[in-house]
Amino acid sequence: QTILCFLRSFEYSQKNAVLVPVAALGVGGMLAYWLRSRHKIKTIEMGDGWWGSGERVLKGREDESIRPFKIETSDKEIEDLHRRLDQFRYTPHVEGAAFHYGFNSSYLKKVVSYWRNQFDWRKQVEVLNKYPHFHTTIEGIEIHFIHVKPSYVPHGQAVQPLLMVHGWPGSFYEFYKIIPLLTEPAKHGLNEGDVVFEVICPSIPGYGFSEAPHQQGFDSIATARIFHKLMNRLGFKEYYLQGGDWGSRITTNMAQMLPQSVRGLHLNVVFIGKQGLGRLISIMFGAYVPWLVGLSREDARRIYPFMQKNVYDVLRESGYLHIQATKPDTAGCGLNDSPVGLAAYILEKFSTWTDKSFLHKDDGGLESKYSLDELLTNVMIYWVTSSIVSSMRYYKENFSKDPNLSAYNRFGVHVPTGIAAFPQEILHTPRTWAKDVYKNIITYSYMPRGGHFAAFEEPKLLAQDIMQFVRKVEQL
């Protein structure tokens, strides 16, 4: 009996000698997997899409060629514009209205007169064509972009590809003043030529000379995928991204989708939809002890009084957003039919989004920052392409799926990120809040002046900040 017990205990201990290490190995493996999964970067699924008319073409049948494109105009196009401008129906504004009711109609008279009698669209077409334009077909629609390379690159100098994405109601034309600063910085006294770019500026599908999607559902994720395909088609494996307005959302999605392709992401506006107790505490204490909740004095100056700057001002400036996020085709009908209506609708944004105080000026402060030629050229891009309705639809496609534009924030952005915070931007996002989404902020700059249309208004300031950011990333 004693011998039997001994044999059984020996057999049991032998089993333990095998089972315990196996169990330990299993638990250790699970722990290692858990630790790795915690640090694994979650990415947005790239997927695929078809936005052309009718049925999707068979794979491999889409024309992937890159075709030179030139903007053209005609006597008929200009005559039609002039006829419509001549039929402008003026509505007197109330006394002392300035821009508080929207675009001041007396100043609008001046803009229309200039547009009709002095603005030279043919000359502006030549200006637009000074950079090389191209078309290529991606997911069934024609994508328009300009691609500008430096005219001279010193021996051994690396040229960094930079994709710059506009927003609404802007266009690729917003970047015309910043492009020479980025592609030929030494010529413009910006640096010794240690950082130089080749710049690619696409038009968001449905904007300007990019074809409008024919199917429902075209959002920033679809745009991000198409722009990655565009860069890949141009032969780039890694590249920098820059964006403001919708461009900020699109380039952020690009970084969340294929982080391995993005060397760095630079933004001049950041939208963080996340709310919660932590944010509420930050807002409550930030007005009195900003340092306690990670805010700087400059953050506090830009955020408070909170209700005025983050609720009342935003409500005043976002009426268009609700229309475009719900019934864009209805409001768009009149704008697509009337050049004056289109100009008033678009240019009013270039007033108060450039500087909130311009609300009190009879001319909206527009000509203090831009020339009428520049402003009307941007309007004309919408007019001659009949793209105002499709550009407005972009709001519906995005907001109907993601009402506060925060659904994809859970993925985080882990690529090196630079943020240029302009003081007149519609909303200010402090670095400590931005870190909720952007996990690897390399530079965060409080810009000395400027508003929403940074590249258009303050091209030199923005170019300097982009260069400073890229230098730091290249030194990592």
Side-chain angles (χ1 to χ4, degrees), residues 429-447:
T429 303
R431 182 178 190 143
T432 188
W433 295 0
K435 279 160 55 178
D436 289 345
V437 175
Y438 301 91
K439 310 298 185 183
N440 187 11
I441 298 174
I442 304 298
T443 61
Y444 183 100
S445 308
Y446 296 98
M447 307 305 281

Side-chain angles (χ1 to χ4, degrees), residues 135 142-145 202-213 227 385 387 390:
H135 266 151
E142 295 281 286
I143 304 301
H144 162 260
F145 64 98
S203 294
I204 298 170
Y207 288 68
F209 298 98
S210 275
E211 186 178 356
F227 287 172
T385 58
S387 60
S390 51

Side-chain angles (χ1 to χ4, degrees), residues 183-321:
T183 56
E184 299 175 313
K187 188 183 285 187
H188 294 87
L190 285 184
N191 62 16
E192 299 300 319
D194 58 322
V195 177
V196 64
F197 299 91
E198 60 178 296
V199 180
I200 300 92
C201 300
S203 294
I204 298 170
Y207 288 68
F209 298 98
S210 275
E211 186 178 356
H214 296 265
Q215 312 296 329
Q216 294 180 40
F218 187 86
D219 59 7
S220 63
I221 301 298
T223 316
R225 180 178 64 244
I226 281 177
F227 287 172
H228 270 308
K229 289 182 177 182
L230 170 63
M231 294 302 278
N232 185 256
R233 191 170 291 183
L234 291 171
F236 300 115
K237 301 302 178 191
E238 286 187 319
Y239 31 89
Y240 284 93
L241 306 174
Q242 202 286 324
D245 197 87
W246 280 122
S248 171
R249 164 90 166 179
I250 293 162
T251 53
T252 293
N253 291 159
M254 290 178 76
Q256 293 166 318
M257 187 178 285
L258 288 180
Q260 68 273 23
S261 295
V262 180
R263 287 187 66 82
L265 169 68
H266 186 278
L267 306 171
N268 56 273
V269 63
V270 171
F271 300 109
I272 304 291
K274 180 183 173 184
Q275 303 299 329
L277 183 60
R279 180 62 50 79
L280 183 61
I281 291 170
S282 179
I283 291 166
M284 287 173 63
F285 285 94
Y288 307 102
V289 280
W291 51 269
L292 190 64
V293 289
L295 300 181
S296 69
R297 287 183 178 179
E298 183 61 19
D299 289 327
R301 194 180 69 80
R302 295 187 183 192
I303 292 171
Y304 300 101
F306 187 83
M307 288 301 290
Q308 180 62 51
K309 293 187 175 181
N310 297 271
V311 179
Y312 303 142
D313 287 356
V314 172
L315 281 173
R316 185 192 65 224
E317 294 300 326
S318 59
Y320 81 98
L321 189 151

Side-chain angles (χ1 to χ4, degrees), residues 93-134:
H93 60 79
V94 295
E95 292 181 12
F99 263 57
H100 288 278
Y101 285 69
F103 206 103
N104 183 286
S105 57
S106 289
Y107 180 62
L108 185 58
K109 257 186 175 180
K110 179 191 172 183
V111 172
V112 172
S113 175
Y114 182 88
W115 199 358
R116 174 63 177 85
N117 301 307
Q118 292 168 265
F119 179 76
D120 188 343
W121 176 232
R122 290 188 188 280
K123 180 182 174 184
Q124 295 307 117
V125 165
E126 288 178 18
V127 171
L128 292 173
N129 283 326
K130 77 176 180 178
Y131 294 132
H133 294 250
F134 301 91

Side-chain angles (χ1 to χ4, degrees), residues 249-417:
R249 164 90 166 179
I250 293 162
T251 53
T252 293
N253 291 159
M254 290 178 76
Q256 293 166 318
M257 187 178 285
L258 288 180
Q260 68 273 23
S261 295
V262 180
R263 287 187 66 82
L265 169 68
H266 186 278
L267 306 171
N268 56 273
V269 63
V270 171
F271 300 109
I272 304 291
K274 180 183 173 184
Q275 303 299 329
L277 183 60
R279 180 62 50 79
L280 183 61
I281 291 170
S282 179
I283 291 166
M284 287 173 63
F285 285 94
Y288 307 102
V289 280
W291 51 269
L292 190 64
V293 289
L295 300 181
S296 69
R297 287 183 178 179
E298 183 61 19
D299 289 327
R301 194 180 69 80
R302 295 187 183 192
I303 292 171
Y304 300 101
F306 187 83
M307 288 301 290
Q308 180 62 51
K309 293 187 175 181
N310 297 271
V311 179
Y312 303 142
D313 287 356
V314 172
L315 281 173
R316 185 192 65 224
E317 294 300 326
S318 59
Y320 81 98
L321 189 151
H322 188 73
I323 293 170
Q324 295 178 190
T326 52
K327 303 291 180 66
D329 285 36
T330 303
C333 284
L335 303 180
N336 196 44
D337 193 56
S338 166
V340 179
L342 180 67
Y345 195 73
I346 288 177
L347 297 187
E348 182 252 306
K349 306 306 178 196
F350 280 86
S351 170
T352 46
W353 292 5
T354 295
D355 190 319
K356 299 175 189 72
S357 70
F358 287 174
L359 197 68
H360 310 297
K361 294 177 177 287
D362 289 342
D363 63 356
L366 284 166
E367 292 178 74
S368 64
K369 294 288 186 175
Y370 317 100
S371 72
L372 283 180
D373 280 344
E374 290 170 348
L375 293 168
L376 290 171
T377 297
N378 183 65
V379 172
M380 285 295 289
I381 289 169
Y382 282 87
W383 177 254
V384 300
T385 58
S386 293
S387 60
I388 187 61
V389 177
S390 51
S391 76
M392 292 162 70
R393 284 179 192 149
Y394 202 64
Y395 284 76
K396 183 171 179 65
E397 302 294 15
N398 281 285
F399 281 96
S400 60
K401 295 177 186 175
D402 185 8
N404 62 359
L405 296 185
S406 63
Y408 294 100
N409 287 354
R410 67 184 186 276
F411 289 94
V413 175
H414 297 270
V415 306
T417 302

